[in-house]
Amino acid sequence: MFEPKMTSNLNGADNIKTVGRFFVSALKILTDPKNVILRRQKGLNWNDSLFNFVKLSFLEYTVLKYRRMVRFGDQVVLDSTFPPFPSIAFDKRIKNYINNLDMTEAPSGIVSISTTNCCPYSCPFCSTNAKRVTKTDLDEDLLKKTITEVEALGVPMIILHGGEPMYRYDRFLRLVKHVNPDTCLWMFTSGYGVTEDRAAELKASGLFGVWISLDHFDPNIHNGFRGSPKAFDNACNAVNAFKKAGVYTCLSLVPPEDFLEPANFKEYYNLAKKLGVAEIRVMEKKPSGREACHGVLAHSPVLANLQKKLYADPEFAEHPPLSGLSTWLEKDQALGCQCRFEYLFITSTGDLQPCEVSQISFGNIKEEPFPVIFKRISQAFERCSTGCIPMVMFPEIMEYQQNRTQMSYIEKTERATEIVQGFQKLGSIPGAYRPLWSYYQKRLNLLRKRQANNCATKYRS
């Protein structure tokens, strides 16, 4: 049933060599004359550039602390939230880090776009409350226009999903073809509607990677979650189809309660290895969609410790690495919430949100162009913060949801900004940024003074 694994984890000397290649590549981008000119135009000096280079090293170390890089053909993937190396998209991501000191000006690493709210399944933890009515989906031309605007801002990676994007396959394929080949393109799917022909067609049209939702090793339990007797088989068949097509294939997991028993998680982990997927994206349940009624569930220390133990255990050295685990990434010692800086989400009705589960809107692409809304949300996120927005600000978001139909468009965006500012006040600077934070603030103040002086000089002349 399962085909041989197409990817391999990097270990030992290969890992060290690859990190060295990253360093050389980033150094070339740092010293490239075009980038030097661009930074000079923005008011950055060499000290700013070197600071950005050092910051990049801290972030890379944090991402790779409890996961292995994956070789995929002649490329290497640090994490499924990064474009593969080498690639134009990867270079674009590094340029965004190096050429922008002010965190409010740097493009987001990923913009995720819901192409449809339709889905044949009924997953309780879904943030979209997917239905089978297509009339509320965004206009196809508007989606294409927005994709182009996202790329023009310098965003290196786009995710297209739903609902279930394969539910409206022909439309989805046209959107995939519209994405620039230099952009790293991913998709989410439950596996519904995936065939070998469709997987091959998507790969030929520019798809790089896919996350396939598989929530349990027991077919009956997974099928029960999804509300379909075919969900498990559809997911496994989709894994094989995308692997055969040459797509970087991953699983997406929302761990059920019984996975807090390590033996059960390991059984799932062994299934993932048998399937031959490249990695597993692990996301805990968040208070959104139909799950919002359960309120905030604390991060699981069991899952956090399990990730570290599995990484250190030689028995699992060739298992697919775990990525996205909020029990680790959102904590003090890691990256914190990466909304806006690394991730943004456009809903199937056009709202720009920090992520799928935050459910607060900074504007709607049916009302304003994406760049206008992007500038608004960028100004709201002045810094990274520990925690998770829908978990930390749950009462405020629930109040927002209850009153959103009575609020005007401007009131909704203003209230969203207030919620994010409240979130940042309650959180702290994440560990990956903390050693450099005071120096960043000093450099940022100096940059803004230079920019103000330059503007004054141009005005007088």
Side-chain angles (χ1 to χ4, degrees), residues 250-322:
C250 309
L251 293 182
S252 178
L253 166 68
V254 179
E257 291 183 8
D258 64 328
F259 276 25
L260 297 182
E261 170 54 52
N264 287 335
F265 192 98
K266 289 177 182 178
E267 186 165 349
Y268 179 92
Y269 208 21
N270 288 331
L271 171 63
K273 184 176 187 293
K274 189 176 181 181
L275 282 167
V277 297
E279 60 182 87
I280 307 170
R281 176 182 180 269
V282 185
M283 295 299 294
E284 292 185 279
K285 292 180 182 178
K286 299 295 178 73
S288 67
R290 294 189 290 279
E291 284 292 319
C293 64
H294 298 301
V296 178
L297 302 175
H299 286 314
S300 167
V302 175
L303 289 176
N305 292 328
L306 187 59
Q307 181 180 20
K308 299 173 186 177
K309 290 179 180 178
L310 292 174
Y311 173 78
D313 191 337
E315 179 184 348
F316 299 98
E318 295 303 324
H319 279 60
L322 305 175

Side-chain angles (χ1 to χ4, degrees), residues 403-418:
N403 297 322
R404 66 181 303 158
T405 57
Q406 283 78 46
M407 290 190 288
S408 68
Y409 183 83
I410 296 299
E411 287 173 335
K412 283 189 283 189
T413 62
E414 290 176 346
R415 182 61 183 135
T417 298
E418 291 172 358

Side-chain angles (χ1 to χ4, degrees), residues 211-267:
W211 289 285
I212 299 167
S213 296
L214 185 63
D215 297 307
H216 211 281
F217 56 81
D218 186 327
N220 292 326
I221 295 178
H222 178 77
N223 292 342
F225 283 156
R226 299 282 161 171
S228 168
K230 298 181 179 179
F232 185 88
D233 288 342
N234 285 342
C236 293
N237 291 336
V239 167
N240 288 330
F242 280 116
K243 283 173 53 187
K244 185 175 181 179
V247 175
Y248 189 81
T249 305
C250 309
L251 293 182
S252 178
L253 166 68
V254 179
E257 291 183 8
D258 64 328
F259 276 25
L260 297 182
E261 170 54 52
N264 287 335
F265 192 98
K266 289 177 182 178
E267 186 165 349

Side-chain angles (χ1 to χ4, degrees), residues 110-326:
I110 300 170
V111 172
S112 184
I113 304 173
S114 178
T115 62
T116 179
N117 192 48
C118 295
C119 181
Y121 295 162
S122 55
C123 312
F125 42 74
C126 180
S127 61
T128 64
N129 286 317
K131 308 293 184 183
R132 301 194 186 191
V133 179
T134 62
K135 64 181 181 181
T136 59
D137 287 346
L138 293 169
D139 177 73
E140 184 177 331
D141 288 337
L142 176 59
L143 285 171
K144 290 179 178 178
K145 173 177 174 288
T146 301
I147 289 171
T148 301
E149 291 171 340
V150 167
E151 292 175 327
L153 285 175
V155 175
M157 185 167 164
I158 288 176
I159 304 172
L160 299 179
H161 60 79
E164 172 50 65
M166 301 297 287
Y167 191 85
R168 304 189 67 185
Y169 177 71
D170 291 341
R171 180 176 186 262
F172 180 68
L173 178 62
R174 292 192 295 270
L175 294 172
V176 168
K177 291 180 177 179
H178 184 75
V179 176
N180 191 298
D182 293 340
T183 299
C184 182
L185 177 61
W186 281 73
M187 69 175 288
F188 269 109
T189 180
S190 63
Y192 170 88
V194 176
T195 64
E196 289 187 2
D197 288 343
R198 285 182 170 183
E201 191 172 29
L202 289 170
K203 172 65 177 179
S205 300
L207 182 69
F208 171 78
V210 59
W211 289 285
I212 299 167
S213 296
L214 185 63
D215 297 307
H216 211 281
F217 56 81
D218 186 327
N220 292 326
I221 295 178
H222 178 77
N223 292 342
F225 283 156
R226 299 282 161 171
S228 168
K230 298 181 179 179
F232 185 88
D233 288 342
N234 285 342
C236 293
N237 291 336
V239 167
N240 288 330
F242 280 116
K243 283 173 53 187
K244 185 175 181 179
V247 175
Y248 189 81
T249 305
C250 309
L251 293 182
S252 178
L253 166 68
V254 179
E257 291 183 8
D258 64 328
F259 276 25
L260 297 182
E261 170 54 52
N264 287 335
F265 192 98
K266 289 177 182 178
E267 186 165 349
Y268 179 92
Y269 208 21
N270 288 331
L271 171 63
K273 184 176 187 293
K274 189 176 181 181
L275 282 167
V277 297
E279 60 182 87
I280 307 170
R281 176 182 180 269
V282 185
M283 295 299 294
E284 292 185 279
K285 292 180 182 178
K286 299 295 178 73
S288 67
R290 294 189 290 279
E291 284 292 319
C293 64
H294 298 301
V296 178
L297 302 175
H299 286 314
S300 167
V302 175
L303 289 176
N305 292 328
L306 187 59
Q307 181 180 20
K308 299 173 186 177
K309 290 179 180 178
L310 292 174
Y311 173 78
D313 191 337
E315 179 184 348
F316 299 98
E318 295 303 324
H319 279 60
L322 305 175
S323 65
L325 186 53
S326 51

